[in-house]
Amino acid sequence: MLGLTKVNERMKCLGLIGGMSWTSTISYYRRLNQLIAERLGGRHSARLLLYSVDFDAVERLQHAGRWDEAGELLADAARRLAAGGAEGIVLCTNTMHKVAGHIEAAVDLPLLHIADATGEAICAAGHRRVGLLGTSFTMEQPFYRQRLVDRFALDVLVPGEKDREMIHRVIFDELCRERIEPASRRAYQRIVAGLAENGAEAVILGCTEIALLIGPDDVSVPVFDTTELHVRAAVDFALGRTEPSRA
């Protein structure tokens, strides 16, 4: 029991709100455990609780603009994680950070915001003008872009309307269903190239599924994978190296 006690003192329990989609939640689970093992050695793995929602219900609320209802659904998930012993909340999606305030109001636990992990990494790399790929909600609504502007003084570019529609469709119709299509990869590469031509120094993969389709070797500018950055921030928190700031 002594060894277990020492591990528990070193590692906080993370509460994951996943299922949006389950394909990217798998990436979160895998990388959290891999990084904990790398940092602690031996056979260590992450202390996690996972509440995986039914994404069909969330998607319907998104497209109907019923964000308050979606926020309450995720707030309920956070309450359940808190009751189970979670010490910090990781929302495993970019888009649903639109309702981060609902989660923060529901539980007295820190929410590790994915845009903060992303903004910090971009600034550390010395970039200021970046392209953003994501769902249409993330690209078009201010909740994500404005946080990057306000907190990190970034200039955020998004693709044109038709390209935004295509990016959104690929995420929902293909990547969320674990379909990886070469034609979609080529289309994303073309869009990133266009953002670079317009001055983007790097590109944010601002949907947790996009890294399943493209990565650093597929484009000519630096790539910031929000899933990877979010996971690294979560591991830092779990090991007591950082404390997230509240909005």
Side-chain angles (χ1 to χ4, degrees):
M1 291 301 295
L2 178 60
L4 178 59
T5 300
K6 289 183 177 179
V7 170
N8 286 346
E9 288 175 352
R10 293 179 64 186
M11 193 191 318
K12 296 184 179 73
C13 180
L14 299 172
L16 310 184
I17 305 178
M20 299 167 284
S21 65
W22 62 264
T23 56
S24 64
T25 303
I26 289 171
S27 299
Y28 269 86
Y29 185 82
R30 179 185 299 113
R31 288 299 291 150
L32 283 165
N33 282 290
Q34 288 173 340
L35 288 178
I36 287 292
E38 289 174 13
R39 297 196 190 185
L40 297 183
R43 300 187 187 280
H44 285 294
S45 55
R47 295 181 62 221
L48 302 173
L49 296 172
L50 170 62
Y51 189 99
S52 188
V53 302
D54 177 2
F55 190 34
D56 185 77
V58 175
E59 181 187 355
R60 290 174 186 273
L61 293 173
Q62 288 176 340
H63 286 95
R66 293 158 59 184
W67 293 101
D68 285 340
E69 292 176 57
E72 182 50 40
L73 188 154
L74 298 192
D76 179 67
R79 293 187 194 100
R80 293 171 186 267
L81 291 169
E87 297 168 87
I89 301 296
V90 179
L91 180 58
C92 303
T93 164
N94 283 272
T95 295
M96 293 311 293
H97 277 75
K98 179 177 172 69
V99 300
H102 289 73
I103 294 169
E104 291 178 318
V107 294
D108 189 22
L109 293 175
L111 172 70
L112 285 71
H113 202 293
I114 196 169
D116 291 346
T118 302
E120 288 166 6
I122 293 169
C123 289
H127 302 302
R128 279 292 174 265
R129 198 171 204 208
V130 294
L132 173 63
L133 307 182
T135 66
S136 59
F137 311 114
T138 299
M139 291 186 289
E140 296 172 3
Q141 297 183 21
F143 69 93
Y144 194 93
R145 290 184 291 108
Q146 199 60 44
R147 192 172 180 108
L148 294 174
V149 171
D150 293 343
R151 292 199 169 206
F152 303 99
L154 297 178
D155 182 9
V156 182
L157 307 178
V158 297
E161 182 178 359
K162 289 185 178 179
D163 285 339
R164 294 198 304 271
E165 291 173 356
M166 192 280 299
I167 292 168
H168 183 92
R169 179 190 60 75
V170 167
I171 290 168
F172 279 88
D173 293 349
E174 298 175 15
L175 301 181
C176 288
R177 297 176 177 178
E178 212 173 19
R179 284 177 50 202
I180 308 299
E181 300 290 347
S184 296
R185 178 178 291 112
R186 291 192 295 272
Y188 272 51
Q189 290 173 313
R190 173 186 58 77
I191 292 168
V192 171
L195 290 169
E197 289 176 3
N198 287 329
E201 303 161 9
V203 64
I204 299 170
L205 306 186
C207 178
T208 54
E209 286 84 13
I210 293 178
L212 301 173
L213 185 66
I214 63 169
D217 295 336
D218 297 308
V219 295
S220 62
V221 294
V223 164
F224 289 85
D225 175 1
T226 54
T227 301
E228 178 69 16
L229 296 171
H230 202 198
V231 165
R232 290 184 175 275
V235 169
D236 285 343
F237 170 78
L239 298 181
R241 299 177 183 177
T242 59
E243 289 292 333
S245 59
R246 295 180 72 91

